Amino acid sequence: MNKQGYKSGFVSIIGRPNVGKSTFLNRIIGQKIAIMSDKPQTTRNKIQGVYTENEAQVIFIDTPGIHKPKHKLGDFMVKIAQNTLKEVDVVLFMVNAAEGLGRGDEYIIETLQQTKRPVFLVINKIDQISPDDLLLLIDKYRTLYPFAEIVPISALEGNNVDALIGAIKKYLPEGPQYYPADQVTDHPERFIISEMIREKVLHLTREEVPHSVAVVIDAIEKRGGGAVYVNATIVVERPSQKGIIIGKQGSMLKEVGKRARQDVELLLGSKVFLELWVKVQKDWRNRMSQLRDLGFRE
Ligand code: GDP
Ligand code: MG
Ligand code: K
């Protein structure tokens, strides 16, 4: 859904281990994500948490590859890190106020030279230093990179965290609420899979089914042997549309499923069993709460 003036976007948090990235995410989003972010890193970008309020939604994503020393990075990882830094709306570079500038920080700053996105310097743990030392630190970092914003915080005590969120919001474009308000983390592929299915429906049914069709992912489950089972519901407004999507003896739905499954298998890199349902829900577009359940976006 595109509420008038609603802002949303993607933010990458980078920084050496122990600077307080998880503590910050926990403070603004809640306990749940700590578990997510401590999972071993995959090569894919991971959603670490979703922060939602009335006017904005911020999706925090992890940037694999950037935390490691340069010589150990494969080309692939470097590429992912660079692509991520190109695509996000804001990059947060978090450092520890209580420690000096380290080799790891310098390495990250080098990598940052490649992004044109606004980079914030977030100086965390300010509860551990004096205001004078903080000013010195700011001066030092300022000479190293043209940071869009410099925001000192204490993630642990909560100081200035609201100001940081306010600053992020200033840099977000207008956009949809990608995730339901009560959802702080997600299977990162969930949204992409629903879009893949929706695309096949629109493509195969041409003009007969309106773009208002929505796809809800009911379940994604990994079972023995590494196969992934996906259940999804295609939601339409009229029984006639349901008929078109199902097709003669289910032939249309079968084709949608076949094509979508091929895409999803490429995305996940594993065998996929995709089960599709079609549901009529009259005027669902007008009902806000149902919209949220549907995870709908335009
Ligand atoms: P990460 O590796 O960047 O995710 O760092 P963590 O969030 O796991 O934090 C590492 C350690 O720093 C933990 O012991 C935190 O409690 C501590 N820490 C995080 N933020 C602050 C802060 O603002 N002040 C202080 N004093 N400690 C903090
Ligand atoms: Mg962490
Ligand atoms: K996640």
Side-chain angles (χ1 to χ4, degrees):
M1 116 196 73
N2 248 332
K3 280 191 246 169
Q4 196 70 33
Y6 199 84
K7 287 182 150 197
S8 61
F10 295 83
V11 172
S12 175
I13 310 182
I14 59 178
R16 287 156 68 193
N18 291 319
V19 294
K21 299 180 295 292
S22 299
T23 308
F24 168 71
L25 281 169
N26 279 336
R27 171 159 290 277
I28 61 166
I29 297 159
Q31 211 52 46
K32 252 172 162 174
I33 2 163
I35 303 154
M36 304 299 292
S37 57
D38 288 340
K39 277 187 183 169
Q41 291 206 339
T42 60
T43 52
R44 205 185 298 286
N45 295 326
K46 246 180 0 195
I47 295 172
Q48 293 181 297
V50 180
Y51 170 85
T52 308
E53 56 176 58
N54 285 339
E55 274 83 43
Q57 182 165 74
V58 188
I59 298 149
F60 290 95
I61 59 170
D62 196 16
T63 313
I66 202 164
H67 309 294
K68 303 188 178 159
K70 203 170 191 174
H71 58 275
K72 279 193 182 163
L73 284 176
D75 285 351
F76 184 62
M77 294 295 278
V78 176
K79 217 173 183 161
I80 286 182
Q82 287 169 352
N83 284 344
T84 303
L85 294 181
K86 260 185 233 154
E87 282 163 20
V88 295
D89 298 292
V90 176
V91 178
L92 300 185
F93 172 37
M94 189 175 285
V95 297
N96 181 349
E99 278 178 17
L101 186 75
R103 180 69 196 101
D105 295 318
E106 285 168 12
Y107 166 64
I108 291 172
I109 289 171
E110 269 170 48
T111 312
L112 291 175
Q113 308 292 345
Q114 288 143 2
T115 183
K116 293 197 175 67
R117 315 312 297 173
V119 179
F120 291 13
L121 176 68
V122 179
I123 304 178
N124 188 33
K125 310 197 188 183
I126 54 167
D127 54 288
Q128 294 196 320
I129 60 162
S130 72
D132 283 349
D133 287 343
L134 176 59
L135 289 175
L136 286 175
L137 200 59
I138 290 174
D139 278 344
K140 191 165 166 188
Y141 272 102
R142 217 197 277 283
T143 61
L144 299 175
Y145 191 86
F147 294 106
E149 305 273 346
I150 297 181
V151 190
I153 66 165
S154 169
L156 196 65
E157 299 185 346
N159 304 333
N160 225 26
V161 168
D162 288 348
L164 175 53
I165 294 192
I168 291 170
K169 283 195 285 186
K170 279 198 297 182
Y171 289 79
L172 295 183
E174 281 199 14
Q177 186 181 313
Y178 292 100
Y179 293 95
D182 57 357
Q183 195 167 335
V184 293
T185 60
D186 188 16
H187 195 294
E189 285 90 7
R190 202 181 184 96
F191 172 66
I192 304 169
I193 292 171
S194 70
E195 283 297 287
M196 284 174 163
I197 298 167
R198 207 167 80 91
E199 180 194 81
K200 303 303 174 239
V201 171
L202 294 178
H203 188 77
L204 287 167
T205 61
R206 314 224 169 207
E207 306 297 291
E208 296 160 284
V209 171
H211 282 248
S212 58
V213 64
V215 174
V216 189
I217 305 297
D218 303 309
I220 301 177
E221 223 178 286
K222 206 167 212 155
R223 293 195 202 151
V228 178
Y229 289 75
V230 180
N231 288 332
T233 306
I234 300 165
V235 186
V236 291
E237 284 185 298
R238 286 197 301 273
S240 63
Q241 295 163 349
K242 179 176 174 176
I244 292 166
I245 290 175
I246 291 175
K248 265 203 186 98
Q249 288 163 345
S251 56
M252 178 63 90
L253 192 60
K254 207 169 157 191
E255 189 60 24
V256 168
K258 190 180 125 196
R259 294 190 187 193
R261 177 179 51 77
Q262 287 167 349
D263 278 6
V264 178
E265 283 184 340
L266 279 177
L267 174 78
L268 301 180
S270 49
K271 183 152 183 58
V272 169
F273 293 90
L274 175 62
E275 197 166 340
L276 293 177
W277 304 86
V278 187
K279 188 163 98 180
V280 180
Q281 200 166 313
K282 225 170 145 230
D283 290 336
W284 63 266
R285 270 181 300 173
N286 300 326
R287 284 177 285 187
M288 289 298 288
S289 63
Q290 285 173 350
L291 264 177
R292 287 222 194 86
D293 292 345
L294 292 165
F296 181 72
R297 65 179 277 277
E298 260 171 348

mmCIF file of all heavy atoms in Angstrom, residues 15-24 38 94 124-128 153-158, ligand 1:
data_model
loop_
_atom_site.group_PDB
_atom_site.id
_atom_site.type_symbol
_atom_site.label_atom_id
_atom_site.label_comp_id
_atom_site.label_asym_id
_atom_site.label_seq_id
_atom_site.Cartn_x
_atom_site.Cartn_y
_atom_site.Cartn_z
ATOM 1 N N GLY A 15 30.037 -2.209 10.683
ATOM 2 C CA GLY A 15 30.918 -1.850 11.796
ATOM 3 C C GLY A 15 31.630 -3.084 12.300
ATOM 4 O O GLY A 15 31.177 -4.211 12.077
ATOM 5 N N ARG A 16 32.749 -2.847 12.998
ATOM 6 C CA ARG A 16 33.505 -3.976 13.534
ATOM 7 C C ARG A 16 32.673 -4.748 14.553
ATOM 8 O O ARG A 16 31.712 -4.208 15.104
ATOM 9 C CB ARG A 16 34.757 -3.444 14.237
ATOM 10 C CG ARG A 16 35.814 -2.938 13.285
ATOM 11 C CD ARG A 16 36.706 -1.926 13.967
ATOM 12 N NE ARG A 16 37.545 -2.501 15.001
ATOM 13 C CZ ARG A 16 38.224 -1.772 15.890
ATOM 14 N NH1 ARG A 16 38.133 -0.460 15.900
ATOM 15 N NH2 ARG A 16 38.985 -2.373 16.774
ATOM 16 N N PRO A 17 33.076 -5.991 14.842
ATOM 17 C CA PRO A 17 32.364 -6.747 15.883
ATOM 18 C C PRO A 17 32.393 -5.989 17.213
ATOM 19 O O PRO A 17 33.366 -5.281 17.505
ATOM 20 C CB PRO A 17 33.182 -8.041 15.989
ATOM 21 C CG PRO A 17 33.910 -8.168 14.695
ATOM 22 C CD PRO A 17 34.152 -6.768 14.211
ATOM 23 N N ASN A 18 31.335 -6.118 17.972
ATOM 24 C CA ASN A 18 31.239 -5.555 19.328
ATOM 25 C C ASN A 18 31.053 -4.043 19.415
ATOM 26 O O ASN A 18 31.111 -3.475 20.497
ATOM 27 C CB ASN A 18 32.450 -5.947 20.189
ATOM 28 C CG ASN A 18 32.427 -7.415 20.513
ATOM 29 O OD1 ASN A 18 31.367 -7.975 20.803
ATOM 30 N ND2 ASN A 18 33.575 -8.051 20.412
ATOM 31 N N VAL A 19 30.835 -3.382 18.293
ATOM 32 C CA VAL A 19 30.598 -1.937 18.397
ATOM 33 C C VAL A 19 29.188 -1.646 18.912
ATOM 34 O O VAL A 19 28.903 -0.542 19.376
ATOM 35 C CB VAL A 19 30.831 -1.189 17.054
ATOM 36 C CG1 VAL A 19 32.293 -1.248 16.647
ATOM 37 C CG2 VAL A 19 29.923 -1.711 15.954
ATOM 38 N N GLY A 20 28.301 -2.644 18.838
ATOM 39 C CA GLY A 20 26.956 -2.448 19.394
ATOM 40 C C GLY A 20 25.823 -2.508 18.378
ATOM 41 O O GLY A 20 24.724 -2.012 18.638
ATOM 42 N N LYS A 21 26.067 -3.141 17.256
ATOM 43 C CA LYS A 21 25.044 -3.207 16.205
ATOM 44 C C LYS A 21 23.785 -3.944 16.698
ATOM 45 O O LYS A 21 22.666 -3.461 16.524
ATOM 46 C CB LYS A 21 25.613 -3.905 14.957
ATOM 47 C CG LYS A 21 26.820 -3.179 14.352
ATOM 48 C CD LYS A 21 27.372 -3.885 13.124
ATOM 49 C CE LYS A 21 27.968 -5.259 13.415
ATOM 50 N NZ LYS A 21 29.216 -5.209 14.220
ATOM 51 N N SER A 22 24.003 -5.102 17.310
ATOM 52 C CA SER A 22 22.852 -5.877 17.787
ATOM 53 C C SER A 22 22.117 -5.151 18.913
ATOM 54 O O SER A 22 20.894 -5.170 18.985
ATOM 55 C CB SER A 22 23.297 -7.250 18.278
ATOM 56 O OG SER A 22 23.902 -7.970 17.231
ATOM 57 N N THR A 23 22.890 -4.510 19.769
ATOM 58 C CA THR A 23 22.273 -3.780 20.885
ATOM 59 C C THR A 23 21.377 -2.666 20.347
ATOM 60 O O THR A 23 20.265 -2.453 20.842
ATOM 61 C CB THR A 23 23.378 -3.178 21.796
ATOM 62 O OG1 THR A 23 24.280 -4.226 22.157
ATOM 63 C CG2 THR A 23 22.786 -2.547 23.040
ATOM 64 N N PHE A 24 21.849 -1.993 19.328
ATOM 65 C CA PHE A 24 21.062 -0.924 18.710
ATOM 66 C C PHE A 24 19.773 -1.477 18.095
ATOM 67 O O PHE A 24 18.675 -0.967 18.333
ATOM 68 C CB PHE A 24 21.907 -0.202 17.654
ATOM 69 C CG PHE A 24 21.119 0.714 16.777
ATOM 70 C CD1 PHE A 24 20.587 1.903 17.268
ATOM 71 C CD2 PHE A 24 20.877 0.391 15.448
ATOM 72 C CE1 PHE A 24 19.830 2.744 16.459
ATOM 73 C CE2 PHE A 24 20.132 1.219 14.627
ATOM 74 C CZ PHE A 24 19.609 2.403 15.132
ATOM 75 N N ASP A 38 22.411 -13.383 14.870
ATOM 76 C CA ASP A 38 23.530 -14.211 15.296
ATOM 77 C C ASP A 38 23.640 -15.509 14.511
ATOM 78 O O ASP A 38 24.537 -16.305 14.731
ATOM 79 C CB ASP A 38 23.442 -14.499 16.794
ATOM 80 C CG ASP A 38 23.777 -13.248 17.589
ATOM 81 O OD1 ASP A 38 24.414 -12.344 17.001
ATOM 82 O OD2 ASP A 38 23.414 -13.164 18.760
ATOM 83 N N MET A 94 28.909 2.149 12.210
ATOM 84 C CA MET A 94 28.932 2.278 13.659
ATOM 85 C C MET A 94 30.325 2.030 14.204
ATOM 86 O O MET A 94 30.992 1.065 13.829
ATOM 87 C CB MET A 94 27.935 1.302 14.292
ATOM 88 C CG MET A 94 27.744 1.520 15.777
ATOM 89 S SD MET A 94 26.458 0.448 16.494
ATOM 90 C CE MET A 94 24.964 1.228 15.914
ATOM 91 N N ASN A 124 28.897 5.005 18.839
ATOM 92 C CA ASN A 124 28.151 4.353 19.926
ATOM 93 C C ASN A 124 28.983 4.296 21.211
ATOM 94 O O ASN A 124 30.191 4.504 21.183
ATOM 95 C CB ASN A 124 27.740 2.944 19.475
ATOM 96 C CG ASN A 124 26.811 2.284 20.477
ATOM 97 O OD1 ASN A 124 26.013 2.967 21.138
ATOM 98 N ND2 ASN A 124 26.897 0.963 20.609
ATOM 99 N N LYS A 125 28.305 4.007 22.289
ATOM 100 C CA LYS A 125 28.903 3.872 23.640
ATOM 101 C C LYS A 125 29.420 5.212 24.166
ATOM 102 O O LYS A 125 30.460 5.260 24.841
ATOM 103 C CB LYS A 125 30.031 2.812 23.640
ATOM 104 C CG LYS A 125 29.628 1.473 23.015
ATOM 105 C CD LYS A 125 30.575 0.347 23.391
ATOM 106 C CE LYS A 125 30.250 -0.917 22.582
ATOM 107 N NZ LYS A 125 31.061 -2.075 22.932
ATOM 108 N N ILE A 126 28.694 6.279 23.870
ATOM 109 C CA ILE A 126 29.151 7.589 24.358
ATOM 110 C C ILE A 126 29.024 7.687 25.879
ATOM 111 O O ILE A 126 29.574 8.598 26.493
ATOM 112 C CB ILE A 126 28.388 8.769 23.704
ATOM 113 C CG1 ILE A 126 26.872 8.596 23.861
ATOM 114 C CG2 ILE A 126 28.783 8.918 22.237
ATOM 115 C CD1 ILE A 126 26.100 9.867 23.528
ATOM 116 N N ASP A 127 28.315 6.732 26.482
ATOM 117 C CA ASP A 127 28.260 6.711 27.951
ATOM 118 C C ASP A 127 29.627 6.406 28.548
ATOM 119 O O ASP A 127 29.844 6.575 29.741
ATOM 120 C CB ASP A 127 27.226 5.667 28.420
ATOM 121 C CG ASP A 127 27.475 4.286 27.827
ATOM 122 O OD1 ASP A 127 27.224 4.100 26.606
ATOM 123 O OD2 ASP A 127 27.950 3.398 28.544
ATOM 124 N N GLN A 128 30.561 5.977 27.722
ATOM 125 C CA GLN A 128 31.880 5.595 28.230
ATOM 126 C C GLN A 128 32.965 6.646 28.014
ATOM 127 O O GLN A 128 34.117 6.408 28.363
ATOM 128 C CB GLN A 128 32.315 4.275 27.589
ATOM 129 C CG GLN A 128 31.429 3.100 28.024
ATOM 130 C CD GLN A 128 32.064 1.767 27.711
ATOM 131 O OE1 GLN A 128 32.661 1.596 26.661
ATOM 132 N NE2 GLN A 128 31.938 0.814 28.625
ATOM 133 N N ILE A 153 25.587 8.130 19.930
ATOM 134 C CA ILE A 153 24.502 7.489 20.683
ATOM 135 C C ILE A 153 25.056 6.586 21.784
ATOM 136 O O ILE A 153 26.242 6.270 21.808
ATOM 137 C CB ILE A 153 23.587 6.606 19.787
ATOM 138 C CG1 ILE A 153 24.345 5.393 19.226
ATOM 139 C CG2 ILE A 153 22.956 7.403 18.651
ATOM 140 C CD1 ILE A 153 23.456 4.298 18.641
ATOM 141 N N SER A 154 24.155 6.210 22.683
ATOM 142 C CA SER A 154 24.436 5.069 23.532
ATOM 143 C C SER A 154 23.310 4.079 23.299
ATOM 144 O O SER A 154 22.184 4.299 23.743
ATOM 145 C CB SER A 154 24.501 5.460 25.017
ATOM 146 O OG SER A 154 24.513 4.274 25.798
ATOM 147 N N ALA A 155 23.622 3.014 22.578
ATOM 148 C CA ALA A 155 22.588 2.017 22.276
ATOM 149 C C ALA A 155 22.131 1.349 23.561
ATOM 150 O O ALA A 155 20.965 0.999 23.710
ATOM 151 C CB ALA A 155 23.137 0.986 21.295
ATOM 152 N N LEU A 156 23.061 1.213 24.497
ATOM 153 C CA LEU A 156 22.753 0.526 25.749
ATOM 154 C C LEU A 156 21.796 1.348 26.599
ATOM 155 O O LEU A 156 20.819 0.839 27.132
ATOM 156 C CB LEU A 156 24.049 0.262 26.524
ATOM 157 C CG LEU A 156 23.974 -0.763 27.647
ATOM 158 C CD1 LEU A 156 23.676 -2.142 27.102
ATOM 159 C CD2 LEU A 156 25.296 -0.796 28.420
ATOM 160 N N GLU A 157 22.074 2.638 26.728
ATOM 161 C CA GLU A 157 21.246 3.482 27.590
ATOM 162 C C GLU A 157 20.147 4.204 26.827
ATOM 163 O O GLU A 157 19.261 4.810 27.414
ATOM 164 C CB GLU A 157 22.137 4.482 28.331
ATOM 165 C CG GLU A 157 23.147 3.747 29.211
ATOM 166 C CD GLU A 157 23.982 4.668 30.080
ATOM 167 O OE1 GLU A 157 23.971 5.896 29.829
ATOM 168 O OE2 GLU A 157 24.648 4.141 30.988
ATOM 169 N N GLY A 158 20.242 4.168 25.516
ATOM 170 C CA GLY A 158 19.177 4.763 24.704
ATOM 171 C C GLY A 158 19.386 6.226 24.340
ATOM 172 O O GLY A 158 18.532 6.815 23.678
HETATM 173 P P1 GDP B 1 27.844 -6.141 17.702
HETATM 174 O O1 GDP B 1 28.887 -7.208 17.609
HETATM 175 O O2 GDP B 1 28.236 -4.942 16.915
HETATM 176 O O3 GDP B 1 26.478 -6.625 17.357
HETATM 177 O O4 GDP B 1 27.828 -5.644 19.244
HETATM 178 P P2 GDP B 1 26.823 -6.002 20.424
HETATM 179 O O5 GDP B 1 25.539 -5.302 20.236
HETATM 180 O O6 GDP B 1 26.785 -7.477 20.587
HETATM 181 O O7 GDP B 1 27.543 -5.312 21.666
HETATM 182 C C1 GDP B 1 28.818 -5.710 22.133
HETATM 183 C C2 GDP B 1 28.976 -5.307 23.591
HETATM 184 O O8 GDP B 1 28.931 -3.892 23.737
HETATM 185 C C3 GDP B 1 27.864 -5.833 24.493
HETATM 186 O O9 GDP B 1 28.432 -6.239 25.705
HETATM 187 C C4 GDP B 1 26.972 -4.636 24.698
HETATM 188 O O10 GDP B 1 26.269 -4.664 25.907
HETATM 189 C C5 GDP B 1 27.954 -3.502 24.671
HETATM 190 N N1 GDP B 1 27.345 -2.235 24.259
HETATM 191 C C6 GDP B 1 26.578 -2.028 23.162
HETATM 192 N N2 GDP B 1 26.171 -0.747 23.094
HETATM 193 C C7 GDP B 1 26.700 -0.121 24.175
HETATM 194 C C8 GDP B 1 26.645 1.227 24.682
HETATM 195 O O11 GDP B 1 26.006 2.131 24.112
HETATM 196 N N3 GDP B 1 27.344 1.471 25.826
HETATM 197 C C9 GDP B 1 28.049 0.516 26.478
HETATM 198 N N4 GDP B 1 28.675 0.884 27.581
HETATM 199 N N5 GDP B 1 28.100 -0.749 26.040
HETATM 200 C C10 GDP B 1 27.446 -1.076 24.914
#
